[in-house]
Amino acid sequence: MNNKDIYKVGLGLWKLPKDECAEIVYNAIKIGYRHLDSACDYGNEVEVGQGIARAITEGVCTREDLRITSKLWNTYHAPEHVPLALGKTLADLGLTYLDSYLIHFPIAQPYVSFETRYPPEWIFDPESETPEMLTAAVPLHQTWQAMESLVDKGLVKNIGVCNYNSGLLNDLMSYAKIKPAQLQIESHPYLTQERLIKLAGHYDIDVTTFSPLGALSYLELDMANKTDSVLTQPVVLAAAERLNKTPAQIVLRWGVQRGCTIIPKSSNLTRLQENISIFDFELSAAEMADISSLNINKRFNDPGDFCEAAFNKFYPIYD
Ligand code: A2P
C-alpha cells in the first residue's frame, strides 16, 4: 500500500455497536486504517473518539495521519444550528477539527435540541401519540453557506455532500464559494452510478461510495434479501478464483479501481484486514467491465422507500 492508497479505503462506522465501537476503531487504526467515516446519526461518535484517542495516546498514529469525516444531520440544516451540530460532533469525537464535514441528506427537518434527544433520528417526537417524520423549509444553499463558515473558522478542512443527485450537484456548484471536496453516495456493482460519478469528476469532486459491498448492510435491517448479494455473482467468483482473493476483495477492488474511495464497514478483525488488502492486485479491463455490467440500478438506501415504510412519510430524493 502506498501512502495515498491508505485513504482510499475508509472504515464505515454506521451500525458499529456502541459497546464494541472503541475497540474496533482502535484495532482498525492499528492494522492500518487511517480514514474513518463517522456521522452524528450513527450514535457512536463518543465511542469512535475513544478509539481514536487510544490509538493516538499509544503512538499508533498522530491526529494528522488520520482523515476523519462526519456528517451534519437533517435537523441541523438551519444556518444557526450548523456550528452547534459541528461543535457537538467535535466534542463527542474529542477532536479540534474534522478533515471533512458533509451534509448527510438533502432533507431538512425541524430542529431538535441536544437535550431533547441525540442523535435525533428521523421522527420529530417519538413519544407523541402520532409520531411523525417532519420536514423543514430550509433551502440547501443556506445550509451550504453555514458549512463554508466552518471552513473559514478552521474547524473543518473540507466540506461536501452526501446523497445528492446530478441536479442538486449542478445547483450547488452554481453558488458554492467553497466548492464541495467530496460527494458521498451509495454505489456498488448493482448501482454503478456512472453518470453521477462522471459529473463529479468534471467538477473535480472526489466520490466516496458507501455500501460498496451492496446488499450486505441491509440484510439485518430487512431492507435486502440474501439473494441480493453481489458476492455470489459468477463474474465476481471467477475473478476471485483467478486472483486468489475473496469475493468481497474483488468487489472492493472494483470500487477503488474505478477511481472511488470506499468505506466498507466491518466489526470483524479478519474482515477489516481483508478489506484494506486490495492494493496488491489488479482486475483486468474485462473483469472491470463485467462487474460494471451487473448494474441494475438497485438502491438499498432510499429515503423515498424507507421513510414511507417506517414513518409513513413519502419524501423521495431520487427519481
Ligand atoms: P461484518 O461487520 O460482520 O463484517 P457495506 O459497508 O458495504 O455496507 O458492508 C457492510 C456489511 O458487509 C456488514 O454486514 C459486514 O459484516 C459485511 N462485510 C464487511 N466486510 C466483509 C467481507 N470482507 N466479507 C463479507 N462480508 C463483509
Side-chain angles (χ1 to χ4, degrees):
M1 225 193 306
N2 73 34
N3 280 348
K4 270 190 174 164
D5 288 340
I6 225 173
Y7 299 108
K8 283 279 180 189
V9 182
L11 175 61
L13 299 163
W14 181 39
K15 293 199 275 83
L16 277 193
K18 269 192 192 210
D19 54 343
E20 298 169 37
C21 188
E23 186 76 13
I24 293 167
V25 167
Y26 167 76
N27 282 326
I29 295 173
K30 222 171 157 185
I31 64 170
Y33 282 80
R34 292 292 179 269
H35 171 179
L36 303 172
D37 187 78
S38 181
C40 147
D41 188 52
Y42 303 162
N44 54 14
E45 291 203 305
V46 170
E47 293 75 14
V48 170
Q50 289 164 355
I52 295 170
R54 185 173 161 204
I56 293 176
T57 308
E58 292 186 14
V60 181
C61 68
T62 64
R63 167 67 187 92
E64 293 69 37
D65 294 332
L66 296 172
R67 288 216 188 136
I68 303 170
T69 296
S70 186
K71 311 188 190 82
L72 177 80
W73 186 241
N74 305 345
T75 51
Y76 310 121
H77 274 212
E80 65 273 26
H81 299 141
V82 172
L84 295 181
L86 175 72
K88 170 78 173 141
T89 272
L90 286 175
D92 283 358
L93 290 169
L95 302 175
T96 54
Y97 71 92
L98 287 179
D99 296 274
S100 297
Y101 198 42
L102 314 179
I103 296 178
H104 203 146
F105 281 98
I107 298 175
Q109 299 191 261
Y111 177 65
V112 175
S113 73
F114 302 145
E115 298 73 38
T116 304
R117 199 169 62 255
Y118 193 88
E121 302 186 325
W122 295 86
I123 298 281
F124 182 65
D125 178 7
E127 307 302 322
S128 93
E129 276 184 19
T130 50
E132 269 185 289
M133 175 188 155
L134 302 178
T135 52
V138 184
L140 286 164
H141 69 87
Q142 290 185 2
T143 307
W144 189 256
Q145 275 174 2
M147 298 283 283
E148 290 176 327
S149 305
L150 304 177
V151 179
D152 293 338
K153 290 191 187 116
L155 296 169
V156 306
K157 291 197 167 169
N158 293 301
I159 48 178
V161 293
C162 309
N163 302 303
Y164 270 39
N165 60 17
S166 298
L168 284 179
L169 204 58
N170 286 326
D171 188 52
L172 169 60
M173 292 305 290
S174 75
Y175 57 73
K177 291 202 183 82
I178 298 177
K179 305 292 179 206
Q182 274 124 36
L183 168 69
Q184 188 174 126
I185 50 170
E186 176 180 345
S187 189
H188 41 73
Y190 289 153
L191 181 70
T192 51
Q193 304 243 49
E194 265 114 11
R195 285 152 61 105
L196 184 51
I197 291 173
K198 186 173 168 184
L199 181 69
H202 286 169
Y203 286 134
D204 209 15
I205 300 172
D206 289 335
V207 175
T208 299
T209 62
F210 69 84
S211 307
L213 290 167
L216 294 180
S217 263
Y218 302 92
L219 293 174
E220 63 189 272
L221 301 172
D222 282 335
M223 287 160 70
N225 301 311
K226 270 226 153 91
T227 50
D228 288 325
S229 175
V230 73
L231 300 186
T232 50
Q233 282 286 349
V235 289
V236 172
L237 295 175
E241 168 104 24
R242 179 181 82 78
L243 291 155
N244 196 22
K245 299 288 166 189
T246 67
Q249 285 175 310
I250 298 300
V251 171
L252 297 176
R253 173 71 207 183
W254 169 86
V256 294
Q257 204 169 310
R258 67 204 284 252
C260 296
T261 294
I262 57 172
I263 46 168
K265 167 255 168 190
S266 181
S267 346
N268 170 287
L269 200 52
T270 309
R271 289 192 284 279
L272 281 172
Q273 182 68 64
E274 189 179 319
N275 295 350
I276 43 165
S277 307
I278 57 169
F279 294 100
D280 58 350
F281 68 98
E282 227 174 277
L283 295 167
S284 68
E287 286 165 337
M288 288 297 291
D290 286 348
I291 297 174
S292 296
S293 70
L294 295 173
N295 183 39
I296 46 171
N297 295 323
K298 171 76 183 161
R299 197 184 289 281
F300 294 102
N301 193 325
D302 186 343
D305 292 338
F306 71 75
C307 291
E308 190 172 33
F311 321 128
N312 197 26
K313 172 85 172 180
F314 183 55
Y315 199 77
I317 54 172
Y318 311 112
D319 297 323

